């Protein structure tokens, strides 16, 4: 019995130590690329570089890509793209290339603390930045502000969903989303109460009344596919759920299929003609 008591005490102590460690390092878990420090790289050819100067002194970078023919006389739809927590805007340029080839403008948004952007990333800050970037692109003379969609991958899906509840977004695309950050902690056997931020996608889609495309890989080991199913169930008839067999967290695996599915959704939503 004595050894059982000692074992129980050691287990409690180990659990408490583990909780302290998780609580102290979770920022690195949520925003791993912010730890890499600044890296200078110029925008690619054709990109319009826009810096957001925030009220708290941060400077956040974005790149706007316009499709051929966009002008004051020829307004185009736009997509604001938010990447995952382990990416940068330059690692996802394929999205800008796809969207501009389909006649969309595409605004690639960086996160605070990533690359040359200054400031500290955090849920409230990223949500506020997203709203500011929406307001900026909506005021552009080439953009049809009635056809602005938002598209996010993983953590970016949560940022996109939060924005959709704050501004008149015509369509929301969530790729490899999680239900919430506390729920994702549970995926790794960690108490959800340890999460300092929520990124509650259930609440976000409840605040948004428009059409939603939810895309997930069946073999996703980071955000289990059940999270996508739960989000789609909550959105009900507003949601289109696509689950790709054999695919992991890194959607898309095949742009021919993914691109077709995206455009089918945008046409149904009235964003693409």
């Amino acid at each position: 019995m004595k050894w059982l008591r000692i074992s129980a005490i050691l287990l409690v102590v180990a659990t408490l130590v583990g909780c302290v460690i998780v609580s102290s390092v979770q920022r690195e878990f949520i925003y791993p690329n912010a730890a890499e420090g600044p890296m200078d790289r110029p925008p690619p050819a054709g990109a319009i570089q826009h810096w957001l100067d925030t009220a708290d002194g941060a400077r956040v970078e974005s790149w706007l890509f316009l499709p051929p023919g966009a002008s004051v006389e020829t307004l185009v739809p736009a997509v604001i793209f938010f990447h995952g927590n382990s990416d940068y805007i330059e690692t996802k340029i394929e999205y800008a290339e796809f969207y501009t080839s389909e006649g969309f403008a595409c605004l690639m948004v960086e996160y605070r603390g990533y690359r040359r952007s200054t400031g500290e990333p955090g849920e409230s800050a990223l949500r506020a930045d997203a709203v500011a970037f929406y307001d900026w692109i909506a005021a552009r003379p080439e953009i049809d502000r009635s056809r602005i969609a938002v598209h996010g991958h993983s953590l970016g899906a949560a940022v996109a969903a939060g924005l959709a509840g704050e501004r008149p977004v015509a369509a929301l695309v969530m790729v490899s989303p999680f239900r919430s950050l506390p729920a994702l902690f549970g995926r790794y056997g960690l108490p959800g109460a340890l999460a300092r931020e929520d990124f509650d996608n259930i609440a976000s889609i409840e605040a948004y009344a428009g059409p939603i495309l939810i895309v997930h890989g069946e073999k996703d080991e980071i955000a289990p596919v059940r999270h996508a199913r739960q989000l789609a169930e909550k959105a009900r008839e507003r949601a289109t759920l696509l689950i790709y067999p054999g695919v992991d967290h890194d959607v898309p695996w095949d742009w021919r299929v993914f691109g077709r599915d995206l455009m089918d959704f945008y046409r149904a939503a009235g964003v693409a003609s």
Side-chain angles (χ1 to χ4, degrees):
M1 294 298 293
K2 178 179 180 180
W3 285 110
L4 287 176
R5 287 196 297 272
I6 293 174
S7 297
I9 292 171
L10 290 175
L11 179 60
V12 171
V13 170
T15 300
L16 291 175
V17 170
C19 289
V20 170
I21 292 174
V22 170
S23 180
S24 63
V25 303
Q26 67 177 272
R27 178 167 292 275
E28 286 73 24
F29 169 74
I30 301 170
Y31 310 108
N33 286 10
E36 293 190 4
M39 182 177 293
D40 193 27
R41 78 279 187 260
I48 299 171
Q49 184 184 38
H50 170 64
W51 286 94
L52 173 67
D53 293 306
T54 70
D56 59 356
R59 296 198 80 215
V60 189
E61 188 176 12
S62 66
W63 296 342
L64 173 63
F65 297 83
L66 294 174
S71 68
V72 176
E73 293 76 26
T74 306
L75 302 185
V76 296
V79 171
I80 307 174
F81 180 80
F82 301 95
H83 61 69
N85 66 341
S86 296
D87 293 310
Y88 303 106
I89 52 177
E90 75 267 22
T91 63
K92 294 299 180 180
I93 290 299
E94 62 194 277
Y95 286 87
E97 294 171 346
F98 169 78
Y99 278 122
T100 54
S101 73
E102 295 290 343
F104 285 70
C106 182
L107 181 63
M108 307 288 291
V109 173
E110 195 52 276
Y111 298 141
R112 294 180 180 218
Y114 279 48
R115 293 301 202 216
R116 290 185 296 184
S117 296
T118 64
E120 291 290 327
E123 181 176 7
S124 60
L126 296 189
R127 289 186 184 277
D129 293 348
V131 169
F133 278 118
Y134 176 98
D135 292 343
W136 178 77
I137 194 173
R140 294 278 308 188
E142 316 93 334
I143 303 302
D144 182 350
R145 63 185 306 159
S146 70
R147 293 190 292 158
I148 298 177
V150 290
H151 177 161
H153 177 259
S154 191
L155 177 70
V159 179
L163 173 57
E166 295 288 334
R167 289 294 187 268
V169 166
L172 167 63
V173 176
M174 303 177 72
V175 180
S176 305
F178 48 81
R179 194 176 76 229
S180 68
L181 207 54
L184 193 62
F185 270 41
R187 155 73 178 85
Y188 294 95
L190 302 171
L194 291 180
R196 296 179 180 177
E197 299 176 336
D198 290 326
F199 284 111
D200 187 345
N201 282 325
I202 293 290
S204 292
I205 64 175
E206 287 180 332
Y208 171 62
I212 307 172
L213 175 64
I214 300 172
V215 181
H216 219 95
E218 182 185 36
K219 300 295 184 180
D220 193 329
E221 295 184 352
I222 295 176
V225 68
R226 68 174 180 274
H227 286 229
R229 292 194 174 101
Q230 290 165 350
L231 290 169
E233 182 179 354
K234 179 61 65 172
R236 297 182 180 177
E237 69 278 356
R238 293 185 294 114
T240 299
L241 174 63
L242 297 178
I243 298 175
Y244 295 140
V247 178
D248 60 17
H249 194 67
D250 293 324
V251 175
W253 87 112
D254 186 334
W255 265 106
R256 292 170 298 178
V257 176
F258 184 57
R260 177 203 64 204
D261 292 340
L262 278 176
M263 294 311 299
D264 286 347
F265 168 71
Y266 286 130
R267 281 188 284 268
V271 179
S273 56

